[in-house]
């Protein structure tokens, strides 16, 4: 049992020595890339320190190198306001826009009688997760994501695992308060190794380093972040309280000072005497970008003199002293060898370009979606064409165009199939739709995709059971329908590679755990019925007692229910949003004999959620100002997922709409709301900030919702 007594002075001195030595080794390894001890020597020091801290709990220090990984997952994300707002940046997409920015800076300063030449600091624009780390008296006390610029998520538990982030600042005479802003990133090499490991383990493969870094930090369990090769690159300051610190008068001083305190700063940052120097640096990095250690999508240029930042000020959205010069999408030339036609779970046929492999933005691209037949025809694509491909947003591969001038005489027009590639059923095309579909609900590929969807996060969310593993079960004939998942034995699961006793137990428990917590609405959504999304599934889960009642309805029953529903007051309607095509899709799905068999299998597996309050009507609107209202969310929501926001709205008596219309009562806006905000303004729809929405849901807001024009300050 650990010794509860105070340690001797000798023990305390040894602990301090070990902490300092390990901190030095961490800095040399993760920041300077210049280790001076072997891994074995480092581990021996670490184990000695951990043993002493375990023996003497009195010695606990959150800044100790042993405290990078917490023992328990956090219970949930909390929010924290930034002392100083974390602004996003305006973009310059070409030389003319950069020159316009420089002209505005000079004109603004000249108008204040400041006409001295302006120099700049230029950093690579890192593609990661923006985080602010906070130190008090030299020790890390908190880490907060950028969020909406005003408020972010507290991710201290994950950030403590980032190896190059100092838990305690280096040097003497440390600031009482220091807020450092930077980007959490993952190098190209580390990202490739992580994805290889994920694939070998049958886990999710990440689309790009940015997603991998952001997803790792935003985990409740810090052990996940600890297993990922994350790095924090500092690029600026928030609040600073330093009685006798150095005089940082320029951004160049700040960057040098952060390095002295123990931070890693972005490579290739430099001071530029003129605007032309900045653009030259931008073009140089553009030529080098695929060879750089980290993915970048441009250059951030800041006025170097910090005193001028106050003079220039900010707009409602951006600072006037900084801008991001963005690279154009990376493109490459390759050959269109073939077009494959994939069948989705709803029968939609998607053409996929099979390309001669080409390196693009650090990724080998060999496939790209072509969306539908209309796009193939509009781009006049032929097999054998030389085509231009790019990664949209440096992420999604797409075919931009064919190089028609280089088309050979043997090029072949892409022929779209008239029958399903999987089952041979003649394809159909609904009026107003671009997609061709296979109408056969028993199409083998549709059934395969339906099982994969059922287990996915968008379906029943069977945690840890990935697409690759489900495909293996299907290929081996163990699973043909979603219901079959619940009849897999441990022996069958154990029969696959890399499946030991513990992994088998985890998979088995995940499947049956998902079954036990499934609600009726979630089960309906997981079935993947054509035209029935999550919102419609919630309505159905609220209206019906179980799947038997839902499956027993014919079209006439639906019409009667809809007529009764339309006669009710708006706040009492239960089926609003369910149209004729949705009803037809539901009837057709449940009329299938195969569906009926699957429902019986669900019952046998005891996957049969019920709703005892089905169909109950509210005599009056609820107690919140949102009761009976139609709401819609747009943009990135801070501190909650879209599903959580929808659930919160529905719990307050609101209905979540799918589009902006005159019937909409409120548009709730998050970060980067896009065109829905403009349309809402045009239609006179009231707009709520996320915090106002929360207050109204809890009944703590105003009795009357805020007046039109009370908009979120977009960042």
């Amino acid at each position: 049992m650990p010794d509860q007594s105070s340690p001797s002075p000798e023990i305390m001195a040894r602990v301090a020595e070990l902490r300092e030595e390990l901190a030095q080794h961490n800095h040399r390894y993760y920041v300077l890339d210049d280790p001076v001890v072997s891994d074995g020597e480092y581990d021996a020091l670490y184990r000695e320190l951990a043993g002493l801290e375990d023996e003497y709990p009195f010695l606990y220090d959150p800044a100790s190198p042993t405290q990078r990984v917490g023992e328990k997952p956090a219970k949930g994300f909390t929010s924290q306001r930034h002392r100083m707002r974390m602004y996003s940046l305006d973009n310059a997409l070409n030389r003319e826009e950069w020159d316009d920015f420089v002209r505005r800076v000079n004109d603004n300063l000249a108008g204040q009688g400041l006409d001295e030449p302006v120099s700049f600091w230029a950093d690579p624009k890192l593609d990661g997760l923006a985080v602010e780390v906070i130190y008090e008296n030299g020790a890390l006390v908190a880490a907060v994501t950028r969020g909406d610029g005003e408020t972010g998520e507290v991710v201290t538990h994950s950030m403590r695992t980032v190896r190059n982030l100092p838990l305690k600042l280096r040097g003497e005479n440390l600031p009482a308060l220091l807020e450092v802003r930077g980007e959490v990133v993952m190098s190209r090499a580390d990202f490739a190794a992580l994805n290889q490991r994920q694939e070998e383990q049958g886990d999710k493969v990440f689309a790009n380093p940015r997603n991998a870094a952001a997803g790792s930090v935003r985990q409740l369990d810090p052990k996940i972040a600890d297993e990922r090769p994350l790095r924090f690159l500092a690029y600026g300051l928030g609040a600073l309280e330093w009685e006798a610190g150095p005089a940082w008068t320029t951004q160049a001083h700040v960057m040098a000072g952060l390095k002295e305190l123990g931070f890693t700063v972005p490579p290739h940052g430099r001071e530029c005497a003129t605007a032309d120097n900045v653009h030259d640096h931008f073009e140089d990095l553009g030529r080098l970008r695929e060879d750089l250690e980290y993915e970048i999508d441009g250059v951030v240029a800041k006025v170097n003199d910090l005193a001028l930042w106050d003079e220039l000020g900010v707009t409602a959205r951006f600072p006037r002293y900084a801008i991001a010069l963005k690279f154009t999408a990376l493109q490459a030339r390759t050959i269109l060898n073939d077009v494959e036609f994939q069948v989705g779970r709803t029968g939609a046929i998607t053409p996929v370009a099979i390309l001669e492999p080409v390196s693009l933005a650090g990724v080998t691209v060999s496939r790209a979606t072509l969306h539908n037949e209309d796009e193939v025809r509009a781009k006049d694509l032929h097999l054998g064409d030389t085509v231009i491909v790019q990664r949209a947003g440096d992420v999604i591969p797409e075919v931009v165009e064919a190089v028609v001038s280089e088309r050979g005489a043997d090029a072949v027009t892409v022929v779209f199939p008239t029958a399903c590639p999987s089952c041979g059923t003649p394809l159909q095309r609904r009026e107003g739709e671009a997609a061709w579909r296979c109408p056969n609900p028993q199409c083998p590929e549709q059934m395969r995709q339906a099982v994969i969807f059922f287990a996915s996060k968008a379906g029943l969310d069977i945690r840890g059971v990935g697409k690759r593993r489900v495909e293996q079960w299907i290929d081996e004939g163990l699973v043909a329908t979603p219901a079959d998942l619940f009849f897999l034995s441990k022996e069958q699961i154990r029969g696959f590679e890399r499946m030991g006793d513990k992994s088998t137990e985890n998979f088995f428990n995940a499947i049956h755990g998902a079954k036990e917590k499934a609600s009726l609405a979630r089960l309906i959504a997981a079935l993947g019925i054509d035209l029935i999304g999550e919102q419609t599934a919630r309505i159905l889960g609220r209206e019906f007692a179980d799947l038997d009642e839902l499956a027993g309805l014919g079209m006439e029953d639906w019409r009667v229910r809809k007529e009764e529903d339309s006669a009710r007051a708006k706040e009492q309607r239960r089926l609003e949003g369910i149209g004729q095509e949705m009803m037809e899709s539901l009837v057709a799905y449940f009329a299938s004999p195969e569906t009926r068999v699957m429902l019986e299998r669900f019952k046998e597996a005891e996957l049969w959620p019920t709703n005892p309050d089905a169909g109950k009507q509210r005599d009056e609107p609820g107690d919140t100002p949102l009761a009976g209202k139609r709401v819609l969310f747009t943009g990135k929501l801070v501190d909650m997922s879209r599903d959580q926001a929808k659930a919160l709205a529905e719990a307050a008596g609101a209905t979540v709409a799918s589009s902006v219309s005159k019937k909409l009562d409120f548009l709730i806006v998050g970060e980067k709301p896009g065109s829905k905000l403009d349309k809402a303004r045009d239609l006179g729809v009231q707009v709520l900030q996320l915090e106002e929405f929360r207050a109204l849901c809890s009944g703590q807001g105003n009795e009357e919702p805020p007046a039109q024009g009370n908009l979120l300050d977009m960042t």
Side-chain angles (χ1 to χ4, degrees):
M1 184 171 180
D3 190 342
Q4 301 299 322
S5 63
S6 298
S8 67
E10 291 78 14
I11 293 294
M12 295 177 68
R14 180 55 179 162
V15 166
E17 180 184 1
L18 287 168
R19 287 172 176 168
E20 176 62 25
E21 189 171 356
L22 286 168
Q24 291 283 353
H25 290 319
N26 282 337
H27 182 71
R28 295 193 69 88
Y29 186 92
Y30 293 106
V31 179
L32 303 181
D33 196 22
D34 183 28
V36 293
V37 296
S38 68
D39 290 348
E41 291 172 302
Y42 179 91
D43 289 342
L45 295 171
Y46 186 95
R47 285 195 297 270
E48 182 183 354
L49 175 59
L52 290 172
E53 290 179 339
D54 185 56
E55 185 175 355
Y56 299 99
F58 175 84
L59 294 173
Y60 171 78
D61 184 344
S64 172
T66 62
Q67 297 303 310
R68 284 196 178 272
V69 186
E71 294 182 357
K72 297 180 180 179
K75 293 183 179 179
F77 289 116
T78 57
S79 301
Q80 181 168 316
R81 290 185 65 85
H82 299 290
R83 287 183 177 85
M84 299 172 61
R85 181 174 169 184
M86 290 183 70
Y87 283 93
S88 58
L89 296 175
D90 199 1
N91 295 326
L93 302 180
N94 51 50
R95 178 60 191 260
E96 291 72 24
E97 292 183 359
W98 165 243
D99 290 340
D100 286 343
F101 168 78
V102 175
R103 190 178 303 110
R104 290 195 300 272
V105 167
N106 289 328
D107 289 348
N108 192 321
L109 294 175
Q112 301 179 60
L114 303 170
D115 54 3
E116 295 295 323
V118 176
S119 65
F120 299 89
W121 179 267
D123 271 327
K125 187 176 184 299
L126 299 161
D127 195 13
L129 176 70
V131 172
E132 180 176 72
V133 289
I134 304 170
Y135 294 79
E136 293 179 0
N137 299 314
L140 176 68
V141 295
V144 186
T145 64
R146 180 185 172 275
D148 65 358
E150 298 282 357
T151 303
E153 291 176 338
V154 177
V155 290
T156 316
H157 61 290
S158 292
M159 288 301 296
R160 294 181 70 85
T161 73
V162 178
R163 291 295 193 263
N164 75 324
L165 178 67
L167 299 180
K168 186 173 179 61
L169 301 179
R170 298 170 63 83
E172 304 294 334
N173 186 31
L174 299 174
L177 172 67
L178 175 68
E179 295 180 341
V180 178
R181 281 133 185 223
E183 207 86 357
V184 180
V185 295
M186 192 177 293
S187 73
R188 296 175 191 270
D190 286 338
F191 171 70
L194 171 64
N195 260 355
Q196 182 177 351
R197 189 163 64 249
Q198 294 286 104
E199 187 171 7
E200 289 173 351
Q201 296 173 352
D203 294 332
K204 171 187 175 182
V205 174
F206 295 99
N208 53 68
R210 195 269 174 202
N211 286 5
S216 301
V217 172
R218 297 189 69 259
Q219 294 284 338
L220 295 178
D221 188 349
K223 290 185 178 2
I224 296 175
D226 183 52
E227 293 169 355
R228 307 276 170 80
L230 302 173
R231 296 291 182 269
F232 178 80
L233 302 186
Y235 58 67
L237 296 177
L240 173 62
E241 296 176 7
W242 204 343
E243 291 185 4
W248 290 345
T249 60
T250 67
Q251 181 66 12
H253 289 156
V254 169
M255 300 306 288
L258 289 175
K259 289 180 67 175
E260 291 178 0
L261 290 172
F263 292 95
T264 309
V265 300
H268 304 287
R270 66 176 57 174
E271 188 173 353
C272 298
T274 68
D276 286 341
N277 294 154
V278 173
H279 201 267
D280 289 344
H281 187 45
F282 168 73
E283 292 186 328
D284 288 343
L285 287 182
R287 287 187 285 269
L288 294 172
R289 64 183 296 199
E290 288 193 70
D291 298 321
L292 297 178
E293 181 180 6
Y294 299 100
E295 287 198 352
I296 66 172
D297 55 6
V299 166
V300 175
K302 303 173 183 176
V303 172
N304 194 35
D305 188 339
L306 301 183
L308 297 181
W309 290 17
D310 290 335
E311 302 296 338
L312 291 165
V314 298
T315 69
R317 299 180 63 186
F318 309 118
R320 293 192 178 97
Y321 49 79
I323 197 168
L325 289 77
K326 299 292 290 289
F327 297 136
T328 57
L330 285 177
Q331 296 185 339
R333 293 159 60 95
T334 188
I335 303 299
L336 176 61
N337 289 329
D338 199 0
V339 174
E340 291 183 355
F341 297 92
Q342 295 181 343
V343 184
R345 63 180 171 83
T346 63
I349 309 299
T350 301
V352 177
I354 308 303
L355 307 167
E356 193 70 26
V358 61
S359 178
L360 186 59
V363 175
T364 298
V365 174
S366 59
R367 300 166 68 88
T369 180
L370 296 172
H371 301 293
N372 53 58
E373 183 184 23
D374 291 347
E375 177 163 324
V376 174
R377 300 285 172 255
K379 293 181 177 178
D380 188 27
L381 298 177
H382 288 56
L383 303 185
D385 273 350
T386 296
V387 293
I388 305 298
V389 295
Q390 71 180 25
R391 290 175 66 203
D394 283 354
V395 176
I396 304 171
E398 63 178 355
V399 176
V400 179
E401 62 181 355
V403 184
V404 179
S405 61
E406 298 182 15
R407 179 173 292 159
D410 57 348
V412 178
T413 302
V414 176
V415 178
F416 216 86
T418 58
C420 174
S422 177
C423 67
T425 302
L427 300 179
Q428 299 176 359
R429 190 171 182 176
R430 295 172 182 161
E431 184 177 353
E433 273 197 358
W436 286 93
R437 294 179 183 274
C438 170
N440 175 17
Q442 301 310 309
C443 169
E445 188 58 26
Q446 286 188 59
M447 296 177 67
R448 177 188 183 90
Q449 295 300 324
V451 176
I452 293 170
F453 176 81
F454 185 89
S456 72
K457 186 174 182 179
L460 209 62
D461 193 13
I462 305 178
R463 300 294 177 89
V465 179
K467 176 182 177 182
R468 182 184 172 199
R469 192 64 67 187
V470 175
E471 287 179 328
Q472 288 179 329
W473 294 336
I474 295 172
D475 292 340
E476 290 297 318
L478 299 177
V479 172
T481 74
D484 295 335
L485 290 167
F486 304 98
F487 292 91
L488 285 170
S489 68
K490 291 183 181 180
E491 288 69 26
Q492 289 173 320
I493 295 173
R494 189 182 289 109
F496 291 85
E497 76 277 5
R498 307 180 73 88
M499 291 300 295
D501 290 342
K502 183 171 179 57
S503 296
T504 297
E505 191 72 23
N506 289 341
F507 271 72
F508 189 83
N509 291 340
I511 292 171
H512 290 273
K515 175 185 71 176
E516 291 167 4
K517 70 179 182 181
S519 66
L520 179 58
R522 173 53 64 183
L523 179 57
I524 294 170
L527 294 174
I529 305 169
D530 191 21
L531 301 180
I532 307 302
E534 288 191 19
Q535 175 60 22
T536 305
R538 288 192 187 97
I539 295 173
L540 297 173
R542 183 182 64 207
E543 180 69 9
F544 295 92
D546 57 21
L547 284 179
D548 270 344
E549 185 184 2
L550 178 59
L553 293 185
M555 284 305 299
E556 186 58 34
D557 300 309
W558 274 107
R559 291 191 186 96
V560 171
R561 281 179 176 262
K562 285 291 288 183
E563 288 173 2
E564 292 175 349
D565 198 57
S566 298
R568 300 186 184 115
K570 179 180 177 181
E571 65 272 8
Q572 295 176 334
R573 291 175 186 167
R574 306 283 292 183
L575 299 177
E576 192 167 5
I578 298 180
Q580 177 79 11
E581 289 186 349
M582 290 181 181
M583 294 188 294
E584 291 173 351
S585 178
L586 285 164
V587 170
Y589 179 83
F590 286 110
S592 163
E594 290 78 10
T595 299
R596 296 287 183 161
V597 170
M598 185 176 67
L599 296 188
E600 291 304 314
R601 292 270 284 166
F602 280 151
K603 289 181 183 177
E604 186 181 348
E606 297 182 347
L607 173 58
W608 200 254
T610 60
N611 175 20
D613 297 324
K616 289 185 178 178
Q617 301 297 327
R618 292 186 297 270
D619 295 328
E620 297 179 1
D623 295 333
T624 76
L626 291 181
K629 304 295 185 182
R630 290 174 63 86
V631 303
L632 178 64
F633 301 92
T634 183
K636 180 181 178 182
L637 305 181
V638 179
D639 303 330
M640 66 173 68
S641 68
R642 190 61 61 93
D643 286 344
Q644 290 171 326
K646 288 180 178 179
L648 191 60
E650 290 169 353
T655 298
V656 181
S658 58
S659 62
V660 178
S661 69
K662 290 183 178 180
K663 295 181 179 180
L664 189 67
D665 294 297
F666 302 112
L667 181 70
I668 295 100
V669 291
E671 184 179 357
K672 298 180 181 179
S675 60
K676 289 180 181 177
L677 177 59
D678 294 332
K679 186 173 181 180
R681 286 169 170 164
D682 292 342
L683 294 176
V685 174
Q686 291 191 345
V687 179
L688 299 181
Q689 298 182 24
L690 192 57
E691 289 305 317
E692 292 173 321
F693 161 70
R694 280 186 173 128
L696 293 177
C697 284
S698 66
Q700 297 173 357
N702 301 325
E703 287 300 318
E704 291 296 325
Q708 173 69 18
N710 190 4
L711 303 180
L712 179 66
D713 187 8
M714 300 303 160
T715 59

